[in-house]
Structures are given as structure tokens and as C-alpha cells.
Amino acid sequence: MKIQYLESVDSTQTYLKELIKNNAQTAPFAVVSKMQTNGLGSRSNTWTGLSGNLFLSFCVSLDDLPSDLKLESASIYFAYILKETLASEGSKVWLKWPNDFYLDKLKIGGMITNIVGGALICGVGLNLVTKPKGFDSLDVTVNIEDLLKKYFLNIEKRILWKQVFSKYKLEFYKSQNFSTHTNNLRISLGDATLQDDGSIMSNNERIYSLR
């Protein structure tokens, strides 16, 4: 994975999308910035860009995704691999359905995904050292370059979805103490049941992350 490091950018996600759209870069490729002034979060929210945190977007070819991965659950797949990479560094971070990184009851980051051309773009915001009010930051100290090296090596293994999901589903009960948004409605995860493709069933409705 080739990585471009920036001092500051409005959004790594927006920046990488433009590179791909204009054929200035091809997958696999990643962009990391020290500062982010207008980061994108889920549901068109912004992600506050405090100094020292991780602002990352990367793309992979759709042809290089695991054969059993549904695109609707790509954020779960790539977020859980990052969660496992952080856990190998001693972190107790866990993944709230579908794409939020948590420590105990507080959010420390999240992931969003988009498809541009023949590439899947993943955007990650993670509080490594500083945190806005109501959020938390990572519980271990990591070097960003070393972390990304380990993370991208794990991605390049092209682990099957079923292998990632078998671990993720064991932790889904933690998500059931929370709620999520779908179609601009807040739904409780307490009564939701996790399906093998990463979707959930709630009130007889199948819901995908779509993030």
C-alpha cells in the first residue's frame, strides 16, 4: 500500500475521492494527514480534526476484496481488522455495530466507506491522543506509521469475511447496549439480531450498515 502523508487537508476522504475520480492515483493507495479541517463522519456528520489523531483514507480495488464479502458490510470488515490490529498493541477497543470504535461506553472513532469507480474507499477517524467533549481517546500509545504498516499487512492477507465475522459476532452483545440510526430514525440494538452477512434484523426489517 503506497501512502501519501499530508500536513493538513479538509478531508482525507474527499481528497482521495478526487484523486481516484481524476485517475491521479489507483488502488491500493492511502492518504494520511496530520490535521483535518472538515472531516466526514457517518450520516453526513463532521469528524472533529484535533492534532495528533489519525486521519486516514485508503482505497482497495473491488477485485481484491474477499469473495464472500458483501459491499454493504465492508465497513464492518475493515473496521474490525483495524480493531484487531489495535488489540495486538494492547488496546481494549471494541467495534460497535456497524462502524464505530469504542472504549467502554465512549466513542473514539469510526469508519465510512464509499465506492468510486472500481475502488472501495475507506475513511477512518480515530482519537489517538486528544478528544472532543463526550468522546474518549485510545488507551495505548501507538506510532501511526507502524500501526498503518501492520494494518495494511493484515488487509493484504485478504482474510475471508466469514473468518472476521466469526470473531465479530462474539462481541456483538456489547452493541446491544446502544442504538443506531437508519433512514434518519434511531433504533435500539438491544432487540436486534446479527445476521451472517453483517446486517441486523430489527422489527422484522433487515438493515445494512450502508456506511
Side-chain angles (χ1 to χ4, degrees):
M1 180 82 69
K2 183 179 178 182
I3 305 175
Q4 180 180 6
Y5 289 91
L6 303 173
E7 288 296 320
S8 181
V9 71
D10 56 348
S11 161
T12 60
Q13 181 88 173
T14 301
Y15 181 85
L16 183 53
K17 280 183 180 179
E18 290 303 310
L19 289 180
I20 299 300
K21 286 180 181 178
N22 296 326
N23 296 314
Q25 290 291 346
T26 57
F29 188 77
V31 176
V32 183
S33 183
K34 291 183 179 179
M35 285 292 298
Q36 186 170 254
T37 58
N38 190 30
L40 302 179
S42 59
R43 306 189 313 278
S44 299
N45 291 327
T46 59
W47 182 256
T48 303
L50 299 180
S51 178
N53 293 334
L54 176 63
F55 311 109
L56 162 71
S57 288
F58 64 93
C59 62
V60 294
S61 170
L62 296 179
D63 293 334
D64 289 334
L65 297 178
S67 58
D68 62 341
L69 174 63
K70 289 183 70 69
L71 287 177
E72 294 90 342
S73 294
S75 61
I76 297 175
Y77 177 83
F78 287 102
Y80 195 80
I81 292 176
L82 180 53
K83 177 264 177 190
E84 289 279 88
T85 306
L86 291 167
S88 72
E89 299 295 312
S91 175
K92 295 182 179 179
V93 64
W94 62 278
L95 186 65
K96 171 185 167 288
W97 193 92
N99 68 333
D100 293 327
F101 299 102
Y102 268 68
L103 277 175
D104 195 15
K105 298 181 180 179
L106 292 178
K107 184 176 177 178
I108 67 169
M111 176 177 288
I112 57 175
T113 57
N114 289 278
I115 296 175
V116 177
L120 176 73
I121 298 180
C122 301
V124 181
L126 193 66
N127 297 335
L128 298 182
V129 294
T130 55
K131 56 191 176 185
K133 183 177 180 181
F135 291 79
D136 205 345
S137 57
L138 193 65
D139 52 343
V140 295
T141 300
V142 295
N143 175 278
I144 289 178
E145 292 188 20
D146 291 341
L147 174 67
L148 294 184
K149 181 179 180 180
K150 293 176 182 178
Y151 179 43
F152 291 140
L153 283 175
N154 287 334
I155 287 176
E156 289 166 7
K157 295 175 183 177
R158 296 177 66 178
I159 305 168
L160 289 176
W161 160 257
K162 66 180 181 180
Q163 292 177 273
V164 172
F165 180 76
S166 67
K167 297 179 182 180
Y168 172 68
K169 68 180 181 181
L170 297 176
E171 301 180 2
F172 179 72
Y173 72 93
K174 297 179 182 179
S175 293
Q176 294 182 301
N177 294 317
F178 295 83
S179 60
T180 191
H181 286 83
T182 178
N183 298 325
N184 295 318
L185 296 175
R186 181 183 290 271
I187 63 169
S188 171
L189 292 172
D191 299 323
T193 55
L194 183 64
Q195 307 300 300
D196 287 346
D197 61 358
S199 64
I200 58 172
M201 290 295 295
S202 178
N203 296 320
N204 296 316
E205 180 183 1
R206 183 182 291 267
I207 301 168
Y208 287 95
S209 65
L210 299 179
R211 295 178 183 176

